[in-house]
């Protein structure tokens, strides 16, 4: 009986506490709302990149170090296999299409208009390239490290379903688009499902990257050809 208890206590020390996870979430939210908003008013592209790296990823890494956690174990940094990568890419594209449909339905039923970045976007190639990297590369890596990495690891002590629902809701509310929740929730649950099923952060990052990459491509195309808007 004692030999069975030891691995359990060892495993529990590898996970961040829920209090630590909630504190990280609150700090990241405040940083993004405050400093992140100012950065993106200064520059949509460079500000978004700085927000993702310095206000979302960096605090998560500092929390990991401060708690003495193994980043590879806590964040599940392992290769999931080729089939899971393909599945993640398909889910990322599918949830993007579903979000477009749900936002159109919300607009028709409730008069909700999704926030449009087209007006604020620069048209020069450098800033468009930075914007694409920030949205399609930096955002998936940084946000998944926080949500499907640190937070999901902390909440996993309550079981798969509770942790999936809790982290998905935290992710959706993090984007501060209450009227856009119906469009955000499918991708939020899909990312959590991928992380849980594969026991790896990589599929969630890939699905998130495909989802955001399609949005970035649409924004860039519209910025270069305003008539498309």
């Amino acid at each position: 009986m004692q030999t069975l208890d030891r691995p359990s206590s060892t495993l529990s020390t590898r996970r961040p506490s829920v209090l630590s996870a909630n504190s990280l979430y609150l700090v990241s939210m405040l940083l993004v709302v405050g400093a992140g908003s100012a950065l993106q008013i200064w520059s949509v592209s460079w500000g978004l990149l700085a927000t993702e790296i310095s206000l979302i990823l960096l605090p998560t890494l500092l929390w990991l170090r401060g708690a003495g956690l193994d980043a590879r174990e806590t964040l599940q940094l392992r290769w999931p296999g080729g089939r899971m990568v393909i599945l993640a890419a398909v889910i990322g594209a599918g949830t993007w299409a579903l979000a477009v449909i749900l936002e159109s339905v919300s607009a028709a039923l409730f008069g909700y208009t999704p926030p449009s970045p087209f007006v604020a976007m620069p048209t020069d190639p450098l800033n468009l390239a930075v914007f694409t990297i920030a949205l399609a590369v930096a955002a998936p890596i940084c946000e998944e490290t926080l949500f499907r990495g640190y937070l999901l690891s902390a909440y996993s002590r309550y079981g798969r379903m509770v942790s999936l629902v809790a982290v998905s809701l935290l992710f959706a509310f993090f984007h501060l688009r209450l009227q856009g929740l119906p469009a955000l929730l499918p991708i939020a649950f899909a990312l959590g499902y991928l992380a849980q099923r594969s026991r790896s952060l990589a599929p969630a990052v890939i699905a998130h990257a495909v989802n955001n990459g399609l949005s970035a491509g649409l924004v860039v195309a519209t910025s270069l050809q305003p008539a498309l808007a």
Side-chain angles (χ1 to χ4, degrees), residues 10-203:
T10 303
L11 285 173
S12 66
T13 62
R14 295 178 181 176
R15 289 184 298 200
S17 68
V18 174
L19 177 60
S20 171
N22 290 341
S23 299
L24 172 59
Y25 178 81
L26 179 59
V27 167
S28 299
M29 172 83 77
L30 293 175
L31 286 172
V32 169
V33 171
S37 298
L39 286 169
Q40 292 177 55
I41 290 173
W42 164 67
S43 171
V44 173
S45 53
W46 291 100
L48 177 60
L49 184 61
T51 296
E52 295 292 340
I53 295 174
S54 63
L55 306 182
I56 297 177
L57 179 62
L58 182 57
T60 305
L61 297 179
L62 291 175
W63 248 251
L64 278 167
R65 185 176 180 85
L69 296 167
D70 185 313
R72 182 173 298 181
E73 184 68 25
T74 303
L75 303 179
Q76 301 190 99
L77 302 180
R78 59 180 67 94
W79 181 245
R83 291 184 179 179
M84 186 58 66
V85 169
I86 295 173
L87 176 63
V90 171
I91 288 178
T95 51
W96 179 81
L98 179 60
V100 172
I101 294 171
L102 291 175
E103 287 189 338
S104 299
V105 172
S106 296
L109 294 179
F110 309 111
Y112 165 65
T113 303
S116 174
F118 299 146
V119 177
M121 279 300 301
T123 56
D124 61 287
L126 176 59
N127 276 284
L128 287 175
V130 172
F131 174 80
T132 302
I133 292 171
L135 189 61
V137 180
I141 293 173
C142 299
E143 293 177 15
E144 291 311 308
T145 300
L146 170 60
F147 287 96
R148 261 58 61 173
Y150 199 97
L151 267 63
L152 191 62
S153 177
Y155 275 91
S156 64
R157 57 178 33 86
Y158 297 125
R160 292 171 65 89
M161 184 56 65
V162 171
S163 60
L164 175 63
V165 172
V167 174
S168 297
L169 290 175
L170 289 173
F171 177 79
F173 282 107
F174 190 81
H175 289 75
L176 300 175
R177 290 170 51 193
L178 294 181
Q179 290 179 299
L181 283 180
L184 282 169
L185 287 175
I187 180 63
F189 280 103
L191 295 174
Y193 165 77
L194 286 169
Q196 288 184 334
R197 175 174 173 176
S198 65
R199 297 184 180 180
S200 169
L201 190 66

